[in-house]
Amino acid sequence: MDYLASGIKTIKLDKRYEHFYTIINNATSATIHEIFLLCLSIGFKKNRRKETGTLGTKEFRTSYLTQKDRAFMYSIMIQIDKDNFFTNIVEPSFQKEMEKTLISYANGGSEILIEEVIKDNWIESSELIDSHIKDLDLELAKYIYQELEAIPF
């Protein structure tokens, strides 16, 4: 069952990170779902979750995801709950719980990018000081490359 391919399914972002997604979108032209997948992969790799707060207005339809994107999300869901995934994936309550978990990992990845890439350009009100950060797309690429090259132990 590929419930993520449904044309009506949407994933809403945590309201606390909507401005962050806008900043990354403006700097890189990446779509909301691409930024979500980046943050999800970073948060999951680093095992960092930040529980979902109030859902905001930014969202994306899961039908926009490629087959590889959906496979990536399913593989993370399987790793989260190996024992129950295949029997429970058809249950809407299980799907909703998995989505909350994915969003919490994406929130964790957002936090990591704020701390390690944006750093001092992020202020308490969650607004980027736009004039003080240059080449955010390059900084993100450098961070990703460094993480790929990092010694795994």
Side-chain angles (χ1 to χ4, degrees):
M1 168 169 182
D2 189 0
Y3 86 94
L4 290 175
S6 166
I8 58 170
K9 179 81 199 123
T10 61
I11 294 182
K12 286 190 175 230
L13 305 177
D14 190 314
K15 185 175 181 151
R16 295 172 292 186
Y17 301 99
E18 285 187 331
H19 188 69
F20 168 78
Y21 277 75
T22 300
I23 299 285
I24 302 299
N25 173 259
N26 291 341
T28 65
S29 299
T31 64
I32 297 301
H33 76 268
E34 290 168 337
I35 299 166
F36 177 83
L37 292 172
L38 173 66
C39 293
L40 170 61
S41 63
I42 292 169
F44 188 74
K45 179 181 186 270
K46 299 242 183 193
N47 196 27
R48 178 134 168 216
R49 294 176 57 183
K50 180 134 184 181
E51 290 308 313
T52 305
T54 305
L55 295 178
T57 58
K58 284 195 185 296
E59 64 184 6
F60 62 90
R61 288 193 182 280
T62 56
S63 60
Y64 295 162
L65 298 170
T66 66
Q67 186 175 2
K68 286 182 181 180
D69 295 340
R70 292 190 312 273
F72 170 70
M73 290 175 70
Y74 286 130
S75 69
I76 289 177
M77 290 183 210
I78 291 168
Q79 291 180 55
I80 291 168
D81 195 350
K82 293 176 188 120
D83 298 332
N84 300 308
F85 179 80
F86 291 103
T87 55
N88 293 337
I89 191 59
V90 295
E91 299 296 327
S93 61
F94 184 78
Q95 294 169 3
K96 194 165 212 53
E97 193 58 39
M98 282 288 116
E99 289 164 24
K100 281 178 62 176
T101 303
L102 293 177
I103 293 168
S104 71
Y105 277 115
N107 290 349
S110 298
E111 288 282 322
I112 291 168
L113 289 176
I114 290 167
E115 292 167 2
E116 297 188 23
V117 177
I118 297 175
K119 301 176 187 168
D120 299 329
N121 293 306
W122 193 260
I123 56 176
E124 286 299 313
S125 65
S126 296
E127 293 180 13
L128 189 68
I129 306 171
D130 293 312
S131 62
H132 291 113
I133 192 158
K134 293 184 171 120
D135 301 323
L136 181 56
D137 53 347
L138 180 61
E139 292 301 318
L140 284 169
K142 284 196 303 193
Y143 173 80
I144 293 166
Y145 179 77
Q146 288 170 347
E147 287 300 308
L148 289 172
E149 293 295 311
I151 298 174
F153 48 86

